Structure formats: C-alpha cells, structure tokens
Amino acid sequence: WRVRRSTWRACGQPDDVATCLRYLGEAALGDGDASAATEALAEAYRICQELGARPLAQNVLAGLAGAGCRWDPPPYGRGPDR
C-alpha cells in the first residue's frame, strides 16, 4: 500500500491516496502497529475532509474505532482550514 499511496500522491489523486492510507492503516493494525495505523487513518480522514468524501471518511472512522485507536478526529467538515 505504501507504493500505491506514493504513486497516487505523485499523480495528484488525493482520493486514491486516502483509500490507500485506509488500507495501509488496516494492514498496520493487522501487524499490531497501532501507532502507524492511527497515523495512516488520521491522514486519510483529513484528506476526506478536504475532498468532502463523506462515505470514505465514515469507513476510515470505522477503522479507527474498530482498532481502538487513540485519535479524536475533528467533526466532519470542521478541519483545520474550515
């Protein structure tokens, strides 16, 4: 997922970057790395907010909640630059 994320980032496709980050976070959870998972999922959520991608944002939040990750996301639509 890291290679795909980097490729989509280089192509300027933030929605695909967010999707890759979601799966990268889930893979990190499977490996027992909650810190890496939280980092990836939090970045994915921020991208979703910027894009207005509510369905993907909800999937990301479900991943965070299911993992017991310690990150308190801002309310949807209330990112740092909103």
Side-chain angles (χ1 to χ4, degrees):
W1 290 110
R2 286 182 184 94
V3 172
R4 289 180 179 171
R5 175 200 58 195
S6 298
T7 300
W8 286 121
R9 192 168 277 163
C11 292
Q13 297 294 325
D15 54 330
D16 292 313
V17 172
T19 299
C20 288
L21 285 164
R22 174 191 169 202
Y23 290 116
L24 184 61
E26 291 176 2
L29 286 172
D31 291 340
D33 190 346
S35 176
T38 301
E39 183 178 327
L41 292 167
E43 183 181 354
Y45 185 78
R46 285 189 291 272
I47 292 170
C48 291
Q49 281 196 308
E50 292 170 9
L51 297 175
R54 187 176 298 267
L56 181 55
Q58 291 171 337
N59 290 335
V60 170
L61 288 176
L64 282 163
C69 293
R70 295 178 182 243
W71 182 68
D72 189 24
Y76 187 83
R78 303 257 184 219
D81 57 348
R82 294 194 189 262

